[in-house]
Amino acid sequence: MDLFDMMANKQKESSAPLAERMKPEVLDDFIGQANIMGEGKLLPKLIKADRLTSIILYGPPGSGKTSLAKVIAKQTKSTFISMNAVTSGIKDIREAVERSKDELAMYQRRSVLFIDEIHRFNKSQQDALLPFVEDGTFILIGATTENPYFEVNGALISRSSVFRLTKLNTEDIVIILKKALADDQRGLGMYPISVENDVLEYIADVSAGDARRALNILELSVLPKLDLSEKITIDITDIEDCIQMKAVDYDKNGDNHYDIVSAFIKSMRGSDPDAALFYLGKMIAGGEDPRFISRRIVICAAEDVGNADPMALVVANNAAQAVDFIGMPEGRIIMAQAVTYVASAPKSNAAYLGIDEVLSDLNNLHTGNIPYYLKDGTSLSLERKYNQSENLKKYEYPHAFKDHYVKQQYLPDEIKDKRYYRPTELGYEAKITDYLKKTKYSPE
């Protein structure tokens, strides 16, 4: 690189967006992803020991995939070659291979080939990488927002280590924003900017775990005020102007948080899908963790719908898994489906009341012993050994009888007439009630 190239690069860096300028340069600058980058984790050990082989980084936008790839290249003193699978093809791969070979032959320097959106390469393009991954021509770092086990060729997966990145939490993004405000070389530290912590937290919340978006919002809020000679103050109103969105009255750590969550659950329980969607929207707009919301839906499906519609729990649980897999913002669609299903379903808390009554009795009553004929084989043989009576009742196998039912006592003698589960006449529980009546069990 000659002097003119160096000057051009410096000019480009100074005019680059804040998010680009603030990308970490060394491993210690990398914020977040403690699940793979924390103390004692495998990936930083491999990087520091310069033992890294090809990897695939899988995670949502703004979680740090590109930044981590550049840090790895710099930490291992490798040449960084970058391409995007959307706009690149076989020709670009060949050029990257030739450049990697030249770097190795002329400068004894390895190369890191970073391919963003690697899942966009077709099979032949992915296959073209295999020989050079195997012979170490370059260290491949693929980045993808899609599950690589579904979208990347098995042959390439088998030759790479997969590391999953998650969206950054509020604390991580606030740290990144504060670093940008303090850095007077790459960031905004040369300006007299004042931003309260709650404003930074608001930026982090509306960024939904995307550090790039958070830095863009901060920069956009500051730019109109840079000509001011006095102190620059950034408040919630400035952020709202940047994102064209009003701040939602929702404090994830305050009383309002619990009030909205309570209203959300009670709206589902009260069979009002419109209100349930409204409070779901308030939580999403306020930056609530989607997993927290999903857990509330699953609990409501079991506690308030129960066996009146057993599918409610299936829908809610599948939705929770899908939201975790898909992420936001698309996760809002999945949660909305689950919320409206649970809110619109017939309701019963019979199972919930039943287990709580059992637990209460276990704490307060002498509930007796399990009938001996229900015990396992070893216990049953001992019972017969010490009790030689020929009149010992035998366990009767229900499937050997008509309708796969035979009347026999299952509860201990002391509570043999107890009724814990009292199904309602609503939804599917009406069928359960009919069945139990046919088995001479008449719920109270």
Side-chain angles (χ1 to χ4, degrees):
M1 185 180 293
D2 60 26
L3 178 61
F4 294 104
D5 288 336
M6 292 175 66
M7 291 174 64
N9 279 349
K10 284 290 183 185
Q11 179 68 26
K12 184 179 178 181
E13 287 173 7
S14 64
S15 60
L18 178 64
E20 186 65 29
R21 302 198 308 269
M22 287 306 300
K23 283 185 175 177
E25 296 185 331
V26 295
L27 205 57
D28 290 341
D29 286 343
F30 190 83
I31 306 298
Q33 307 304 338
N35 58 315
I36 62 169
M37 294 299 291
E39 187 69 31
K41 295 295 183 179
L42 174 63
L43 186 54
K45 284 182 179 179
L46 292 173
I47 297 169
K48 289 176 181 177
D50 201 4
R51 299 287 184 185
L52 191 69
T53 55
S54 293
I55 63 173
I56 293 176
L57 301 175
Y58 158 43
S63 55
K65 299 185 294 295
T66 305
S67 296
L68 183 54
K70 287 184 175 180
V71 165
I72 289 171
K74 193 159 190 176
Q75 186 83 23
T76 57
K77 296 181 173 60
S78 302
T79 298
F80 185 76
I81 305 172
S82 177
M83 67 174 66
N84 190 302
V86 176
T87 57
S88 303
I90 295 289
K91 178 176 177 289
D92 300 283
I93 294 174
R94 289 182 184 139
E95 290 177 356
V97 168
E98 290 307 311
R99 183 178 172 189
S100 297
K101 289 179 177 179
D102 289 344
E103 290 287 328
L104 200 57
M106 297 172 64
Y107 307 109
Q108 290 75 55
R109 187 166 57 222
R110 292 176 307 169
S111 296
V112 165
L113 174 59
F114 175 70
I115 303 178
D116 199 11
E117 303 295 335
I118 192 170
H119 64 278
R120 296 292 191 96
F121 270 166
N122 60 35
K123 185 178 186 302
S124 63
Q125 290 169 320
Q126 292 184 29
D127 286 344
L129 296 166
L130 290 175
F132 310 107
V133 169
E134 289 179 332
D135 68 14
T137 299
F138 48 67
I139 295 172
L140 172 68
I141 301 181
T144 176
T145 55
E146 305 293 330
N147 190 326
Y149 293 103
F150 297 146
E151 304 294 340
V152 178
N153 286 359
L156 199 54
I157 287 282
S158 68
R159 290 161 175 81
S160 309
S161 299
V162 177
F163 293 94
R164 183 174 184 179
L165 285 72
T166 57
K167 73 171 189 174
L168 298 174
N169 60 36
T170 297
E171 292 76 17
D172 291 334
I173 292 185
V174 168
I175 291 171
I176 291 170
L177 294 173
K178 286 181 175 179
K179 285 174 70 73
L181 288 166
D183 193 319
D184 57 8
Q185 298 297 315
R186 299 179 296 149
L188 302 169
M190 70 286 292
Y191 303 109
I193 302 171
S194 173
V195 189
E196 295 295 329
N197 205 66
D198 63 332
V199 177
L200 297 178
E201 289 179 352
Y202 177 57
I203 296 174
D205 286 343
V206 298
S207 300
D210 188 330
R212 186 188 303 109
R213 183 169 186 234
L215 287 166
N216 287 341
I217 291 171
L218 177 64
E219 183 176 32
L220 195 57
S221 68
V222 169
L223 285 176
K225 301 187 177 187
L226 288 184
D227 292 335
L228 301 177
S229 56
E230 66 270 18
K231 191 173 185 180
I232 299 170
T233 301
I234 304 299
D235 57 24
I236 293 287
T237 303
D238 296 312
I239 306 305
E240 290 173 354
D241 288 341
C242 293
I243 61 177
Q244 296 297 298
M245 182 173 118
K246 290 293 291 179
V248 178
D249 181 19
Y250 185 81
D251 177 4
K252 288 196 291 184
N253 300 309
D255 291 340
N256 185 251
H257 159 76
Y258 296 105
D259 289 343
I260 292 176
V261 173
S262 176
F264 174 58
I265 294 168
K266 288 171 181 172
S267 297
M268 285 192 291
R269 180 184 297 145
S271 299
D272 189 332
D274 299 308
L277 277 177
F278 172 75
Y279 294 115
L280 171 66
K282 289 204 76 167
M283 288 189 288
I284 292 172
E288 183 57 79
D289 184 347
R291 287 170 293 186
F292 173 85
I293 301 173
S294 296
R295 286 195 293 269
R296 305 283 78 74
I297 302 170
V298 172
I299 292 167
C300 187
E303 177 180 341
D304 296 305
V305 177
N307 288 330
D309 184 351
M311 278 299 296
L313 182 57
V314 176
V315 170
N317 189 59
N318 285 348
Q321 294 178 25
V323 169
D324 191 47
F325 174 64
I326 298 296
M328 297 296 282
E330 290 86 353
R332 77 191 189 284
I333 304 166
I334 300 164
M335 286 189 286
Q337 179 187 349
V339 164
T340 51
Y341 190 101
V342 171
S344 303
K347 303 297 187 293
S348 170
N349 64 348
Y352 161 51
L353 294 177
I355 188 59
D356 278 5
E357 189 174 345
V358 169
L359 295 173
S360 175
D361 282 358
L362 290 173
N363 283 327
N364 300 299
L365 292 178
H366 173 58
T367 53
N369 298 314
I370 300 170
Y372 71 88
Y373 50 86
L374 298 182
K375 295 179 180 179
D376 71 11
T378 303
S379 298
L380 199 54
S381 63
L382 289 173
E383 187 79 35
R384 287 178 177 144
K385 178 179 179 181
Y386 292 108
N387 189 336
Q388 300 299 322
S389 171
E390 295 182 0
N391 296 322
L392 281 177
K393 180 177 172 59
K394 294 181 179 179
Y395 170 67
E396 297 187 274
Y397 185 55
H399 297 297
F401 295 83
K402 183 183 177 182
D403 296 329
H404 301 262
Y405 171 76
V406 60
K407 186 175 182 180
Q408 64 185 328
Q409 181 184 323
Y410 293 95
L411 281 170
D413 288 339
E414 289 81 350
I415 56 170
K416 65 180 181 178
D417 296 319
K418 260 284 191 180
R419 293 291 177 263
Y420 289 111
Y421 180 46
R422 301 175 180 87
T424 68
E425 298 287 344
L426 295 174
Y428 187 77
E429 273 197 332
K431 294 183 178 181
I432 295 174
T433 299
D434 287 344
Y435 173 75
L436 293 178
K437 284 178 179 176
K438 289 176 185 177
T439 60
K440 297 185 174 57
Y441 163 30
S442 300
E444 297 172 6

